[in-house]
């Protein structure tokens, strides 16, 4: 998948009044796995969903909102994003997410997998372990391409995995990446009480000693 100056039409139109629409982004993805990382609210999920939309439009023969777009046909497009919690079946957010992944791994033909922060609904240590294991598994799937959005720092240390930092809805390729930690500053900008922020910063100082 090679996108040059692509946009998501819906988000572009929604943002026209605020900031002249969505800035186009470009990205090159090869067979195997890739990782999108960056601070909260930087645009990772928007980029992921734009990838899915453009791939779907191209496969069905529609015009693609990009300067150029090269793609390979796949049998399925798998987007796992959001909360699939199902109280009727007794499935938590994490449980429902695992069921979706199990189902989508049954496809034998090439698949375009888009994984948005999977594993966040359980303990960070186990969630990170599952993401790394899944990333390694999908990297070996011939003909398939998978893109992971994550906040797990050790995922960025995987060997031979293309890393893309997303910042202000722009995509930048890096040989080696470092996780961006800006959650507290974003919480501050969004009005979280100062007392809570103070204790969060104190806790981080203790943990980092």
């Amino acid at each position: 998948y090679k996108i040059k100056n692509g946009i998501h039409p819906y988000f572009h139109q929604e943002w026209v009044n605020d900031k002249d629409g969505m800035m186009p982004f470009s990205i090159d993805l090869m067979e195997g796995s890739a990782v999108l990382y960056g601070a909260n609210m930087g645009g990772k999920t928007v980029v992921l969903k734009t990838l899915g939309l453009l791939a779907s439009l191209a496969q069905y023969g529609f015009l693609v909102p990009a300067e150029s777009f090269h793609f390979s046909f796949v049998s399925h497009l798998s987007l796992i994003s959001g909360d699939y919690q199902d109280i009727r079946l007794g499935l938590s957010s994490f449980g429902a997410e695992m069921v979706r992944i199990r189902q989508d791994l049954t496809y034998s033909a090439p698949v375009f997998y888009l994984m948005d922060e999977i594993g966040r609904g359980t303990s960070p240590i186990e969630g990170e372990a599952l993401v790394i294991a899944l990333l390694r598994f999908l990297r070996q799937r011939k003909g398939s391409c998978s893109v992971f959005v994550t906040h797990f720092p050790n995922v960025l240390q995987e060997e031979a995995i293309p890393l893309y930092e997303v910042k202000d809805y722009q995509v930048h390729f890096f040989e080696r990446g470092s996780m961006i930690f800006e959650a507290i500053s974003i919480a501050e900008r969004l009005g979280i009480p100062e007392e809570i922020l103070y204790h969060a910063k104190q806790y981080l100082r203790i943990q980092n000693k």
Side-chain angles (χ1 to χ4, degrees):
Y1 294 87
K2 296 185 178 182
I3 300 172
K4 182 178 180 181
N5 293 329
I7 62 168
H8 193 299
Y10 174 78
F11 294 120
H12 175 76
Q13 188 58 41
E14 285 291 300
W15 296 338
V16 163
N17 293 330
D18 294 333
K19 48 183 178 181
D20 299 322
M22 178 180 177
M23 288 182 61
F25 71 88
S26 302
I27 189 171
D28 288 358
L29 298 169
M30 305 300 289
E31 180 180 311
S33 298
V35 171
L36 303 180
Y37 70 99
N40 296 94
M41 299 172 60
K44 299 182 298 296
T45 296
V46 170
V47 169
L48 194 74
K49 290 185 175 180
T50 303
L51 287 172
L53 175 65
L54 269 55
S56 299
L57 289 172
Q59 287 223 164
Y60 283 103
F62 291 99
L63 294 175
V64 174
E67 186 174 328
S68 66
F69 182 68
H70 299 266
F71 74 104
S72 298
F73 283 98
V74 292
S75 65
H76 294 84
L77 190 147
S78 169
L79 171 63
I80 298 180
S81 177
D83 190 345
Y84 300 100
Q85 181 177 168
D86 194 328
I87 297 175
R88 297 171 304 161
L89 299 178
L91 289 172
S92 65
S93 298
F94 176 73
E97 184 178 75
M98 292 300 104
V99 169
R100 276 289 312 275
I101 291 173
R102 182 198 70 203
Q103 293 171 343
D104 289 359
L105 290 178
T106 62
Y107 304 132
S108 57
V111 179
F112 190 20
Y113 292 98
L114 302 171
M115 305 282 189
D116 190 7
E117 294 193 53
I118 62 171
R120 61 183 172 183
T122 188
S123 71
I125 294 174
E126 291 179 297
E128 185 174 61
L130 281 167
V131 170
I132 290 173
L134 181 59
L135 185 149
R136 292 175 179 175
F137 178 80
L138 291 178
R139 183 174 59 186
Q140 305 301 322
R141 285 218 157 179
K142 189 168 180 59
S144 291
C145 179
S146 58
V147 183
F148 290 75
V149 168
T150 188
H151 281 287
F152 293 131
N154 287 327
V155 176
L156 274 58
Q157 306 310 313
E158 283 294 290
E159 294 292 332
I161 299 294
L163 302 175
Y164 298 90
E165 181 185 350
V166 182
K167 184 176 183 180
D168 296 327
Y169 300 92
Q170 294 299 290
V171 181
H172 308 280
F173 174 76
F174 284 91
E175 291 287 346
R176 303 298 298 171
S178 298
M179 191 55 65
I180 310 299
F181 297 99
E182 292 186 356
I184 291 179
S185 62
I186 291 173
E188 187 171 16
R189 292 205 308 268
L190 295 176
I192 295 299
E194 182 59 39
E195 181 180 357
I196 296 174
L197 296 170
Y198 171 79
H199 287 293
K201 293 173 184 176
Q202 290 297 107
Y203 178 82
L204 283 179
R205 292 192 186 99
I206 294 171
Q207 293 298 308
N208 291 329
K209 283 184 178 180

